[in-house]
């Protein structure tokens, strides 16, 4: 197939569905229960609904910030190939991975608001989730830092003689960071059970893929680290599940890491602060919309008799209702208590934080505590 | 005279110098067609082209490493680090290489790189779009550090920075990037490095700050005036080498001081200011110099207004020093 | 009680803890068969094997990044950075990740990594085998910083460090790695974090320092005694959180102080000590606290003896404060 | 040929001479004037003499530190492929590159002593040379930092529309650093005229090549950055010159960077502080001594009638005499003046350094100024 990432490329791209969601000739679909197929679709519907609603809230000035993932939803569900006891180190654009692993809609919305119920206590910007109970690691803004951390987690799993694996997500822009390299190299040497999942969505804010690297592909980096590199159609959910399953199996067997490059596209702006019309041709996203991962997967499910417009409408209603309720529930929440501002810098408050806390509490509050 | 905000003033300085100095090169993430995430380089890619306004891959260490190489070869690179919070992947290149190149080569290799980076909180940026790491660079011999607080100084200081021959970190107060507006002369002028600015005269307490804290100091001074307290306000502008003379002169007059910065208090630049002043003017001090700083916690999101020094906290420190 | 030097004491602490705590893992460059370039991990690879004593590729960011991951998963990693001068490629992982993990995750992800690294000059190491970057880490909320000055403390503090649950930088004074010898109990004991040590009692001037400066402070105190001056010497041991109480108690007694460190003076940790003491005890001060520090230049090679604080310089500061 | 680097390897290794210095069958030697062949050999002889003498001085306690390059001398002479106006960013183990480009024996020895004549004024440890007049960039100890700097220099050359190139040396251990990656990637994207010369000498202090990377070779990393990667026999001077010439030509043409991996071996300890017997089998260096680059090149020259034992003995005598003279000339040199200690931190002394300088000068000197 032609490579739509814009780069000259001679490496194969793993695909299972064509752009219309029809099984490609001679290709076998990975083995998934029907219920899972529907549930995966459901998660993509939820992801899209959440993105839509959160961006609207942001536009209304009710959220400080948001990042959509329109067109990249299939990549989130690579985590389908994992077990619950495997670990995920996400970047900031894999909402569906959180939902699939059990992160609640209401928790998501609370985190967006940074309110008193936000699991991270309003300490980071929106989209910086953390869920230790789901083995999902706290997101941070500096890109790439999670990649060597994933290797460390995988090395720990190895040392404990478990067959768990760690999967880490990052963008193709992030693969230019030093952290990417040191992580890949260390994982190769230690044969760490880690899956490096590169979402190549063509853009890093305003920097196109062609200015990000002269390599023919990002997957081609893998060879230099002695691990397999796989390019997969990032808008083809089944292909993603298949290659991730293979990588996971390899890691569990003790054969080490894999680099997966999922070729997809960031249809909208980088974040709520971005305006892509300044730097890219509007025709580019239009072309990619024809390869929409939801459309393709919907068509596939429809062919299999697993999806109908009615069923999808029900899903949408269900999710929108849940989101609406979650948003409404944020109307009267308070900000996290100012008393907790100094907690968890350390396990216990050292004297200087005790003192600073007392100082802060002694000042009159500049805003009412429930405004956030 | 046109009215500008700080971003426009920075943009103006960059384009004046790009026209004047063919050796000048800009590089960084998203600085090209996009004109930078804060639009500080807006229009420069169009005017000077992709060879002199270079969008780099996402790697701060590469940006600064390449800028160093360019400077060694004789160019005048002015790299941008998108947020000061993201300067740390380049930290080794900055503190071990950039800062030491001239010295370690016995003067053979000067390295005049001016790093521009927006810093500071108050924009709902949470942990990683709010930090103020100036103290780390002030503590690194070989670097100059400059922070403007208004459009006029931003343009004049940046022009000075780009025309001197030492590595220099130019930190821009992003909280007031657009909010701080003022008259800025067209064309060329410079504001000298190493000189603080007396923003407001007073004789009871000296307030010392820089960057986005300066408007807050002025606000505090107004409030103090309303309480009948006469407060002097000093904007440091250059943090290294800082203008100790101006501080000492003021402290000798007032006998009392409050130092303010957003960065965490412990081992922040405020400590140096206090120590330097005490070393030379302790006998003039009627009270210990107070520090009003960020707390020693990672920069928070929802409660950032609790974290940031504000005029009430400063006012309360003014009272503390007066009542001591 | 056996006599050990600091390296042996560190080695002893590591092996005691490796035996006691199966979750503990060592990682770093050359720490395996070679036992570390200073031999601090000597014998541990043989005893605990390559799964727990891990020679890594040459990448400090990878060492610390992986250590963080291990800690998130529940291990107790104790990475080594070969020289403190080479910690900067890992700076982002340390200040943006390690220091903030517990806080930013709302307490979900504690990150108890203890980074060991030799620091300081006096070994003819020039620019890049001599630096003392403690102030950078003290200024970073979320990190503890500990520096021992003798074998007994090195072992006891390191054991404490490895048993608490916060990220901690354990900086080892390599200048006295072998020169500092003393009795060290066999087996387990701890020295509490956060408590300074009164090394010598005196009532005229308080000398404050840590690490490799402590023997120099003692030497200066001897010289002062010979001049008839009674000097108190305090070894901070923990730099963050530092034991301000002990300092204040001493300053209240002596009314005079000298703070000493190898790191460059400007915005060094000494400034914080001076500022903190002034904040709480200015009324007890008979003279400004003096700072005897490294100069604000990159650490030199041939003239390192001119750079390093020595007992004569300290003595001269003692006289300055007395004659003020 | 079999790969002696210890790694499984399927990539070709460029060779021109066999282990006995005989032209390999079907291979053509690169075109070099006879005088250059002899001069190159002369530089290798000088390098070996210098290493030998400096290490002895170090052992006598007369130098603080030294790093030998025994067995790697051929790699230094990759710089033969450069013009004078090209730039070199060395690491710490390429003595011959300095000599070839005109660095004086006496200057070398002065730098070792850090004395008043040391061009870098005694500010860095031995082996940290700098020679702006030779376009040789100041060496620093943190490994890898020179690699992105080389890219910056190359980009500057490109911008100035010269056809100059930059060549940077680093060890295989150093290729694990983040700086390596960000530099390679940037150079690829910008098609910068830079040659990345990786001396794979099998060891990074005590860490063997097999623990440094799981990649089949270091050259294999190049593909991921869209540039050619070449493996060359690092003990075969002619092969090194040939591949470097090709890389230089490519860069001058505007076709961008090349990664060269020279497979060689560190016969002795990492530095004067090292003791390799602790961590490696003594048989390993023994085996490599049979492939000594000087021996091979001497045999080649001898076959061509360009070298005789007498000629070589003359070379040795000449160099040893020069070194002896240079060492003797250091006997009575002073340390750099303490007055200059604060110079060149900045172009001009700011007030705080003026003050600190005055303070320092006011203290009594702890040592006589000519001791160093
Ligand atoms: C170290 C660092 N540098 C810069 C940034 C600013 N930044 C945030 S996202 C981004 C682009 C990331 O692109 P990519 O990795 O492709 O991920 P995508 O946004 O496309 O999902 C940049 C430059 C950052 N967060 N961290
Ligand atoms: C950033 C950094 N980390 C660690 C060191 C300590 N160190 C000096 S040389 C070296 C090994 C380098 O090996 P390699 O790159 O293979 O070069 P070689 O010594 O073999 O020539 C190490 C770890 C350093 N100088 N810089
Ligand atoms: Mg992207
Ligand atoms: Mg090597």
């Amino acid at each position: 197939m032609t490579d739509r990432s814009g780069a000259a490329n001679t490496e194969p791209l793993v695909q299972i569905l064509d752009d219309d969601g029809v099984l490609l000739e001679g290709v076998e679909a990975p083995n998934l229960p029907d219920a899972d197929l529907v549930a995966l679709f459901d998660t993509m519907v939820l992801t899209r609904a959440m993105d839509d609603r959160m961006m609207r809230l942001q536009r209304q000035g009710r959220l400080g910030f948001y990042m959509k993932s329109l067109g990249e939803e299939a990549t989130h569900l690579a985590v389908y190939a994992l077990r619950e006891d495997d670990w995920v180190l996400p970047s900031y654009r894999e909402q569906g991975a959180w939902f699939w692993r059990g992160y609640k809609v209401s928790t998501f919305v609370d985190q967006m608001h940074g309110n008193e119920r936000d699991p991270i206590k309003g300490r980071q910007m929106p989209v910086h989730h953390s869920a230790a109970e789901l083995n999902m690691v706290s997101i941070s803004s500096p890109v790439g830092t999670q990649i060597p951390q994933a290797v460390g987690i995988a090395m720990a799993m190895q040392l404990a003689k478990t067959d768990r694996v760690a999967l880490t997500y990052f963008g193709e822009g992030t693969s230019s960071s030093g952290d990417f390299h040191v992580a890949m190299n260390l994982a190769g040497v230690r044969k760490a059970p880690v899956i490096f999942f590169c979402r190549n969505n063509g853009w890093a804010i305003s920097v196109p893929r062609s200015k990000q690297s002269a390599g023919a592909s990002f997957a081609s980096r893998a060879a230099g680290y002695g691990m397999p590199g796989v390019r997969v159609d990032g808008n083809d959910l089944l292909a993603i599940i298949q290659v991730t399953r293979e990588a996971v199996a390899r890691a569990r067997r003790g054969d080490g890491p894999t680099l997966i490059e999922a070729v997809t596209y960031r249809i909208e702006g980088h974040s709520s602060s971005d305006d892509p019309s300044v730097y890219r041709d509007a025709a580019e996203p239009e072309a990619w919309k024809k390869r929409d991962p939801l459309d393709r997967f919907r068509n596939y499910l429809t062919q299999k008799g697993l999806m109908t417009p009615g069923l999808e409408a029900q899903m949408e209603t269900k999710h929108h209702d849940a989101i609406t309720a979650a948003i409404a529930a944020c109307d009267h929440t308070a900000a996290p208590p100012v008393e907790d501002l100094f907690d968890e810098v350390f396990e216990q408050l050292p004297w200087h934080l005790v003192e600073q806390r007392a100082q802060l509490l002694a000042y009159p509050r500049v805003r009412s505590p429930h405004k956030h | 005279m046109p009215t500008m905000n700080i971003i426009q003033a920075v943009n103006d300085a960059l384009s004046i110098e790009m026209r004047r100095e063919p050796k000048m090169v800009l590089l960084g993430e998203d600085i090209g067609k996009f004109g930078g995430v804060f639009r500080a380089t807006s229009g420069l890619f169009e005017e000077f082209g992709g060879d002199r306004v270079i969008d780099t891959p996402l790697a701060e260490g590469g940006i600064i490493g390449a800028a160093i190489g360019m400077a060694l070869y004789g160019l005048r690179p002015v790299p941008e680090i998108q947020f000061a919070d993201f300067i740390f992947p380049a930290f080794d290149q900055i503190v071990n290489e950039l800062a030491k190149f001239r010295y370690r080569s016995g003067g053979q290799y000067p390295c005049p790189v001016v790093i521009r980076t927006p810093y500071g909180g108050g924009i709902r940026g949470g942990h990683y779009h709010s930090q103020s790491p100036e103290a780390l660079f002030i503590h690194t011999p070989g670097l100059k550090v400059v922070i403007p607080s208004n459009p006029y100084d931003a343009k004049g200081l940046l022009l000075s920075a780009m025309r001197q021959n030492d590595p220099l970190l130019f930190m821009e107060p992003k909280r007031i990037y657009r909010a701080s507006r003022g008259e800025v002369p067209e064309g060329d002028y410079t504001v000298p490095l190493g000189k603080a600015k007396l923003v407001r005269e007073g004789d009871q307490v000296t307030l010392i700050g820089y960057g986005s804290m300066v408007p807050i100091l002025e606000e505090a001074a107004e409030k103090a005036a309303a309480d009948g307290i006469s407060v002097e306000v000093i904007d440091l502008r250059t943090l290294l080498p800082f203008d100790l003379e101006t501080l000492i002169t003021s402290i000798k007059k007032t006998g009392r001081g409050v130092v303010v910065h957003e960065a965490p208090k412990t081992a922040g630049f405020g400590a140096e200011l206090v120590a330097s002043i005490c070393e030379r003017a302790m006998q003039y001090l009627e009270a210990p110099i107070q520090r009003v700083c960020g707390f020693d916690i990672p920069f928070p999101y929802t409660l950032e207004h609790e974290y940031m020094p504000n005029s009430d906290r400063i006012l309360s420190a003014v009272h503390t020093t007066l009542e001591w």
Side-chain angles (χ1 to χ4, degrees), chain A, chain B:
Chain A
M1 92 132 222
T2 46
D3 180 0
R4 298 169 210 214
S5 72
N9 202 306
T10 50
E11 287 180 312
L13 184 74
V14 177
Q15 287 188 303
I16 291 187
L17 299 178
D18 72 9
D19 285 4
D20 297 323
V22 179
L23 262 188
L24 285 165
E25 253 189 54
V27 166
E28 217 182 310
N31 182 21
L32 276 75
D34 284 352
D36 285 5
L37 291 171
V38 174
L40 286 162
F41 186 72
D42 185 61
T43 300
M44 293 208 281
V45 171
L46 166 57
T47 303
R48 196 159 282 190
M50 184 65 87
D51 272 2
D52 179 55
R53 297 291 294 280
M54 293 301 109
M55 190 58 103
R56 278 201 240 176
L57 273 197
Q58 200 282 335
R59 291 298 180 226
Q60 293 162 14
R62 293 169 65 194
L63 289 184
F65 178 78
Y66 194 69
M67 298 183 98
K68 291 184 72 171
S69 60
L70 192 73
E72 301 181 47
E73 293 90 345
T75 62
H76 306 177
L77 294 168
V79 298
Y80 176 78
L82 301 179
R83 293 193 314 239
E84 273 183 19
D85 61 348
D86 295 324
W87 283 48
V88 181
L89 292 97
S91 82
Y92 45 65
R93 207 188 293 283
E94 297 97 18
Q95 289 81 326
W98 293 85
F99 296 132
W100 183 259
R101 288 180 67 91
Y103 198 63
K104 288 205 204 108
V105 163
S106 58
T107 311
F108 190 103
V109 174
D110 285 332
Q111 200 282 326
M112 291 308 106
H113 286 80
N115 63 22
E116 58 188 335
R117 288 190 309 251
D118 172 10
I120 65 161
K121 309 189 181 176
R123 288 178 183 158
Q124 287 205 75
M125 288 172 75
V127 312
H128 291 71
H129 308 281
S130 181
E133 71 287 4
L134 306 174
N135 298 330
M136 302 278 291
V137 174
S138 159
I139 296 172
S140 79
S141 320
V143 300
T145 50
Q146 75 278 19
I147 316 178
Q149 292 164 12
V151 179
I153 289 174
M155 286 168 71
M157 291 167 164
Q158 203 175 30
L159 186 66
K161 307 221 184 305
T162 72
D163 69 345
R164 296 178 184 176
V165 308
L167 181 147
T168 182
Y169 282 106
F170 50 89
E172 88 294 343
T174 300
S175 79
S176 297
S177 68
D179 273 341
F180 166 83
H181 175 68
V182 303
M184 293 283 292
N185 192 48
L186 178 61
V189 171
R190 302 296 303 185
K191 278 190 178 285
V194 54
I195 293 97
F196 299 101
F197 196 101
C198 175
R199 281 186 298 94
N200 173 5
N201 63 4
W203 293 87
I205 309 186
S206 75
V207 179
R209 184 256 174 267
S210 59
K211 285 193 173 182
Q212 197 62 245
S213 171
S217 71
F218 293 93
S220 70
R221 298 251 183 86
Y225 306 107
M227 68 177 83
V230 188
R231 281 179 84 241
V232 62
D233 182 337
N235 291 12
D236 179 346
L237 177 56
L238 295 180
I240 287 170
I241 289 174
Q242 176 165 304
V243 302
T244 312
R245 275 185 169 174
E246 283 163 15
V248 169
R250 189 181 134 80
R252 288 208 208 290
R253 276 198 312 269
D255 290 343
T258 302
L259 171 61
I260 296 174
E261 173 188 356
V263 182
T264 179
Y265 190 82
R266 197 195 77 207
I267 301 280
E268 302 212 344
H270 171 72
S271 73
S272 54
S273 318
D274 185 28
D275 173 9
S277 74
V278 179
Y279 54 78
R280 82 179 178 193
D281 187 343
E284 206 183 88
E286 283 313 311
W288 274 87
K289 282 186 188 159
K290 304 207 177 81
R291 313 188 58 231
D292 185 82
L294 257 82
D295 291 346
R296 285 164 77 183
F297 197 56
R298 178 194 304 108
N299 287 350
Y300 176 71
L301 294 187
T302 307
Q303 293 156 50
K304 285 184 79 97
L306 293 172
M307 191 50 51
T308 64
L311 202 55
E312 185 171 351
Q314 274 173 32
M315 285 176 172
E316 276 178 352
T317 309
K318 174 187 70 182
H319 294 313
H320 275 285
D321 287 353
I323 297 168
T324 304
I327 295 171
C330 289
D331 270 358
H332 301 288
T333 51
V338 65
E339 290 74 15
D340 296 356
L341 197 58
F342 296 82
D343 290 351
E344 292 147 354
V345 179
F346 297 103
E347 190 179 39
Q348 280 135 21
L349 246 58
W351 68 264
H352 66 294
L353 291 185
V354 171
E355 183 181 287
Q356 292 181 12
R357 197 175 90 129
Q359 274 170 12
L360 175 60
L361 294 178
Y363 297 128
R365 299 275 66 75
V366 284
R367 286 194 205 162
S368 77
H370 36 267
K371 210 176 149 233
H372 57 86
Chain B
M1 247 195 290
T3 296
M4 290 186 188
N5 63 29
I6 294 181
I7 300 198
Q8 292 162 332
V10 165
N11 185 269
D12 195 24
L14 292 174
S15 75
I16 287 173
E17 196 61 8
M18 284 290 276
R19 283 178 202 143
R20 200 187 71 86
E21 172 55 90
K23 290 188 190 141
M24 183 168 149
V25 177
L26 304 177
L27 66 164
E29 295 157 10
D30 304 294
I31 67 159
K33 251 195 212 169
F34 193 37
V37 296
F38 290 102
R39 322 309 294 269
T41 55
S42 178
L44 302 179
F45 177 83
E46 289 71 14
E47 181 172 354
F48 302 102
D51 286 344
R52 289 184 65 203
V53 183
I54 302 172
D55 264 336
T56 65
L58 205 175
E60 288 75 13
I63 293 169
I64 303 301
I68 291 172
M70 290 172 170
L72 297 178
Y73 192 75
L75 297 187
R76 292 260 172 194
V78 182
E80 174 180 300
I81 297 294
Q82 203 161 80
F83 284 83
D85 314 71
F86 305 143
I87 205 165
F88 302 124
F91 202 71
D92 189 46
Q93 285 285 351
I94 297 172
V95 309
N96 266 341
E97 298 290 315
L98 180 60
K100 299 180 172 54
F101 237 110
R102 184 196 284 271
Y103 191 76
R104 83 177 194 211
S105 65
Q108 291 178 3
Y109 285 108
C111 207
V113 174
V114 175
I115 303 173
R116 290 183 42 251
T117 191
Y119 86 95
I123 59 147
R124 308 212 74 191
H127 278 26
Y128 298 114
H129 297 79
S130 307
Q131 293 174 69
S132 298
E134 63 275 13
L136 312 182
F137 300 101
I138 296 168
H139 185 51
T140 303
L143 299 178
K144 292 179 177 167
V145 181
V146 173
I147 304 189
S149 72
N150 60 66
Y152 178 88
D153 283 353
K155 179 172 168 183
L157 288 169
L158 183 52
L159 282 167
S160 290
M162 295 185 293
R163 291 170 189 178
Q164 55 84 55
N165 300 317
D166 292 311
L168 189 148
L169 192 67
F170 193 82
M171 297 175 64
E172 300 169 5
K174 65 176 171 300
R175 184 192 202 177
I176 55 171
Y177 250 163
R178 293 191 180 81
S180 175
R181 299 182 58 82
E183 293 200 333
V184 173
E186 280 180 89
D188 211 326
Y189 69 92
T190 57
V191 170
L193 302 183
K195 292 261 162 272
K197 183 178 161 197
L198 193 64
V199 174
R200 178 190 179 113
E201 279 192 74
D203 53 27
Q204 287 180 275
V205 182
T206 305
L207 301 189
I208 304 168
Y210 46 89
S212 62
M213 287 294 104
V214 175
I216 315 269
L217 298 185
E218 294 188 69
E219 197 182 298
E222 281 300 328
K223 289 188 181 174
D227 290 357
I229 306 166
S230 164
V231 157
E232 182 141 309
V233 176
I234 295 175
D235 175 359
L236 271 180
R237 302 200 290 201
T238 298
L239 280 67
L240 201 283
F242 58 97
D243 184 0
L244 185 53
E245 207 180 302
T246 296
L247 302 186
I248 297 291
T249 308
S250 177
I251 288 290
K252 284 187 179 168
K253 176 169 68 172
T254 62
R256 295 184 157 85
V258 178
V259 172
V260 182
H261 57 61
E262 294 179 46
K265 179 181 182 189
T266 298
F269 182 45
E272 177 58 47
L273 294 173
V274 171
S276 286
I277 293 170
C278 287
E279 262 158 29
R280 289 157 202 261
M282 203 181 86
Q283 64 275 44
Y284 298 92
L285 286 176
E286 310 281 351
I289 297 177
Q290 301 294 306
R291 287 185 282 169
V292 178
C293 305
F295 299 110
D296 286 314
I297 64 175
F299 200 103
Y301 175 69
T302 307
L303 297 178
E304 74 167 333
H305 55 284
E306 300 284 359
Y307 175 95
M308 293 286 284
N310 59 38
S311 57
D312 288 332
R313 269 204 227 163
I314 296 168
L315 193 64
S316 132
V318 165
H319 282 288
T320 305
T321 164
L322 283 165
E323 286 145 28
W324 198 74

